[in-house]
Amino acid sequence: MTITRPAEKGSEESLSARMAINIVSAVFALFLLYLISFYDYLLFHTFAEVFSIVIAFSIFLFAWNSRKYLDNFCFIFLGIAYFHVAVLDLLHTLAYEGMPFFPAYSHYATEVWIAARYMESISFFIAFSFLSTSRRINPVFIFVLYSMISALIIGAIFFWEIFPVLFIHGKGLTLFKVVSEYIICFIIMVSIFILYRRKSAFDNKVFNYLLSSLVLTIFSELAFTFYINVYGFSNLVGHIFKIISFKLMYQAIIATGLTRPYDLLFRELKQSELALKEANQTKDRFFSIISHDLRAPFTSLMGFSETLIDSYDSFDEKTKKNFARAIYDSAEQIYNLLDNLLQWSLAQTNSIVFKPGKVDFSTVVDENISLMEKSAELKEITLVSAIDGDRVLFADINMLNTILRNLFSNAIKFTGKGGNITLSSTAKKDFLEITIADTGVGMSDEYMKKIFRIDEKHLTRGTEKETGTGIGLVLCKDFIEKHGGKIWVESKPGEGSRFSFTLPLC
């Protein structure tokens, strides 16, 4: 049973209440605007555009004044873009049919509108593309560049009057206007694709707000492809979608930045802090392996050697052989540990060159079983190969050998005398699923959560008191993921374990 503390319950209820109030307020405001449109559509249009303009200016002010602290440069870029979009939207509002500012020429409003939408959609595309680079262009340069582009647009529309005609009274939209709206929708769709590919750069709530805003912007633009009257219903629907879209953009940038600054302003700093913490944990675990787990087999090695040297003549041949076996086991353990540590270290520094090629899987399996047979015989364990035909993998042969060696070693370590270890495989589309199953001691759910993590200590002794560090499984996971595969484990205490992984087929 889950017990909710009063403070937490009160906080959740308060949050739900605020959300309910915000939703009711938004619905009421939209309904009020809808009623105003019947009374005076020009007044509705003015309210709708002023709302968007105020939000656009607010986004600019927030981004500009936070530019020294914002880790995500795309928000600075969007803020500058929204300032100039707001300027064009303001001119669109002043030039709208029925307004007294430009009575002599009625095409200005539509022309400024489409220019603003082109600027907005292209800005989305550029801003989200910035997520793939660490370059930061001077914000002042971007502002000046946008100002020059805006000046050229305004000159082309209001002074030189060379902008294409977009709306003809009595006939409706021109082909250029309709095609432009579809082009704008396409640019926004590409921007959504880029945004989705790089969603990890954003907090989940910020990403959802941005995505919703872009989708509604597309709906808004589609609505503006149907009207034949600037006071028509599709024009009304388009403005409603625009209002909601700008409100969501406000939530993504300003509301989040003010209420949860670490999710927006300092997101990268927060992520860097978490990465540093994880790196420190990994470093501590690494040195723990070197200082403790490497010392133990050396202690055994030196102890057995010293005893054998001091009392060699007093031991019979059987005892000497047992000592030699113990020395060999300790040396082998040290070698395997050092080899895994070295390979893992090289993998972390990208010093291991990944060279995949065609690999005959059955041959590799036979070679690895031959290598492990002696260790298996000492515990009377039977190794069985039940692979699915002759399969050719596209894999790095050295990494594949390391993966199989570690998984076989683990299986032998945790399987008692007289047990069985079976390697099987099944082709699944473009990958081969490989499983190494044992009849050993198994493991708990809690233990399974730790075995592929270097920063978690999970030392468990084998059935013959064999020791290990678990770094071999971490190495297996790294190597398998380099191939585009994945690894997982199924196990229950006392019922053995099944380690499965996938590698690409040729």
Side-chain angles (χ1 to χ4, degrees):
M1 181 177 69
T2 302
I3 300 175
T4 304
R5 290 182 298 211
E8 292 178 345
K9 188 175 181 181
S11 176
E12 290 176 3
E13 290 177 350
S14 176
L15 180 61
S16 299
R18 287 199 302 271
M19 288 180 63
I21 291 171
N22 288 336
I23 292 172
V24 171
S25 301
V27 171
F28 178 76
L30 289 173
F31 181 70
L32 186 61
L33 279 174
Y34 179 70
L35 293 178
I36 290 173
S37 70
F38 285 103
Y39 173 73
D40 188 334
Y41 190 87
L42 184 60
L43 182 62
F44 158 79
H45 178 269
T46 304
F47 276 147
E49 289 299 327
V50 168
F51 176 84
S52 303
I53 291 165
V54 169
I55 286 184
F57 274 125
S58 300
I59 291 172
F60 163 72
L61 290 173
F62 178 82
W64 187 260
N65 289 299
S66 306
R67 66 188 185 279
K68 293 181 180 178
Y69 314 107
L70 270 170
D71 291 324
N72 199 325
F73 188 70
C74 86
F75 287 124
I76 302 174
F77 189 92
L78 279 178
I80 295 171
Y82 265 111
F83 173 85
H84 295 86
V85 169
V87 170
L88 295 180
D89 279 346
L90 178 60
L91 290 173
H92 162 75
T93 305
L94 297 177
Y96 204 73
E97 185 175 331
M99 297 292 279
F101 299 97
F102 303 100
Y105 187 69
S106 60
H107 296 169
Y108 290 147
T110 313
E111 293 171 5
V112 178
W113 169 272
I114 206 69
R117 305 289 73 81
Y118 265 121
M119 178 178 287
E120 184 181 14
S121 61
I122 293 171
S123 296
F124 286 142
F125 175 79
I126 297 174
F128 298 141
S129 297
F130 266 119
L131 295 175
S132 63
T133 177
S134 58
R135 289 186 61 193
R136 291 176 63 93
I137 302 173
N138 189 333
V140 175
F141 170 78
I142 296 174
F143 188 91
V144 171
L145 181 61
Y146 262 86
S147 297
M148 293 172 62
I149 294 171
S150 299
L152 289 173
I153 291 171
I154 293 169
I157 295 172
F158 291 94
F159 296 100
W160 307 312
E161 297 187 357
I162 58 174
F163 203 90
V165 175
L166 305 174
F167 181 80
I168 301 174
H169 281 285
K171 294 184 179 181
L173 303 175
T174 64
L175 180 61
F176 180 81
K177 169 66 162 61
V178 176
V179 171
S180 290
E181 294 286 10
Y182 288 130
I183 292 173
I184 289 166
C185 289
F186 176 75
I187 295 172
I188 296 174
M189 288 174 65
V190 174
S191 301
I192 290 175
F193 175 75
I194 296 172
L195 175 66
Y196 187 81
R197 289 283 300 273
R198 294 160 189 170
K199 63 183 294 186
S200 60
F202 301 96
D203 171 74
N204 283 336
K205 280 192 174 181
V206 173
F207 170 78
N208 289 332
Y209 281 135
L210 288 173
L211 181 62
S212 301
S213 177
L214 292 178
V215 170
L216 286 174
T217 301
I218 291 177
F219 288 158
S220 174
E221 295 306 315
L222 290 176
F224 286 117
T225 63
F226 297 114
Y227 73 89
I228 58 173
N229 187 325
V230 293
Y231 291 156
F233 179 75
S234 63
N235 195 292
L236 168 70
V237 172
H239 279 95
I240 293 293
F241 280 132
K242 184 187 177 187
I243 290 170
I244 302 173
S245 169
F246 271 67
K247 178 62 168 65
L248 290 170
M249 191 62 68
Y250 169 87
Q251 289 293 134
I253 300 179
I254 299 179
T256 303
L258 293 176
T259 59
R260 295 184 293 126
Y262 272 92
D263 291 335
L264 184 70
L265 296 176
F266 310 114
R267 176 170 169 76
E268 290 186 14
L269 178 62
K270 185 179 179 181
Q271 289 177 326
S272 298
E273 182 182 351
L274 292 174
L276 181 60
K277 184 178 179 181
E278 186 175 339
N280 280 331
Q281 290 176 336
T282 301
K283 179 202 68 177
D284 293 342
R285 176 74 181 118
F286 186 77
F287 282 120
S288 171
I289 291 171
I290 294 175
S291 62
H292 179 270
D293 300 315
L294 192 58
R295 181 183 298 171
F298 264 117
T299 301
S300 298
L301 181 64
M302 292 186 293
F304 284 122
S305 301
E306 184 179 14
T307 302
L308 192 60
I309 291 170
D310 292 343
S311 308
Y312 184 83
D313 294 330
S314 64
F315 292 141
D316 57 29
E317 288 301 316
K318 184 178 180 181
T319 304
K320 291 175 184 178
K321 196 169 185 179
N322 289 337
F323 271 95
R325 166 55 59 186
I327 291 170
Y328 174 80
D329 289 342
S330 295
E332 184 182 37
Q333 185 182 344
I334 293 169
Y335 173 79
N336 288 335
L337 175 57
L338 285 174
D339 185 47
N340 281 337
L341 282 171
L342 177 61
Q343 291 201 57
W344 182 80
S345 300
L346 292 173
Q348 300 310 298
T349 56
N350 295 318
S351 299
I352 292 181
V353 179
F354 178 50
K355 293 182 177 179
K358 291 184 178 181
V359 176
D360 185 335
F361 183 58
S362 61
T363 301
V364 175
V365 169
D366 291 342
E367 289 173 354
N368 278 274
I369 287 179
S370 296
L371 287 173
M372 306 306 298
E373 274 181 340
K374 184 171 287 293
S375 297
E377 285 174 4
L378 292 172
K379 297 181 73 173
E380 301 174 9
I381 293 172
T382 303
L383 300 179
V384 179
S385 173
I387 60 175
D388 178 24
D390 295 327
R391 300 291 180 179
V392 178
L393 299 177
F394 186 69
D396 184 303
I397 183 65
N398 294 321
M399 290 186 180
L400 178 57
N401 281 324
T402 299
I403 294 165
L404 292 175
R405 174 174 58 79
N406 275 290
L407 292 178
F408 270 127
S409 294
N410 262 15
I412 292 170
K413 185 187 304 177
F414 295 107
T415 299
K417 283 191 175 183
N420 296 297
I421 297 171
T422 304
L423 185 148
S424 59
S425 65
T426 305
K428 294 189 175 181
K429 293 184 178 181
D430 298 330
F431 284 83
L432 185 68
E433 184 178 303
I434 303 156
T435 299
I436 295 180
D438 63 59
T439 57
V441 298
M443 64 188 88
S444 65
D445 290 341
E446 183 180 353
Y447 188 79
M448 282 192 286
K449 294 176 182 177
K450 301 177 180 180
I451 58 175
F452 296 116
R453 292 176 58 91
I454 184 66
D455 57 333
E456 292 280 358
K457 189 170 180 63
H458 42 85
L459 179 62
T460 300
R461 294 189 178 277
T463 57
E464 299 287 323
K465 306 302 180 185
E466 306 100 322
T467 60
T469 64
I471 195 171
L473 291 176
V474 177
L475 191 62
C476 288
K477 182 174 183 290
D478 282 354
F479 285 175
I480 289 166
E481 288 178 350
K482 281 184 182 294
H483 288 81
K486 59 181 180 179
I487 184 171
W488 65 97
V489 60
E490 300 165 274
S491 183
K492 287 184 179 179
E495 297 183 15
S497 302
R498 289 172 55 88
F499 281 86
S500 301
F501 62 98
T502 56
L503 291 176
L505 288 163
C506 274

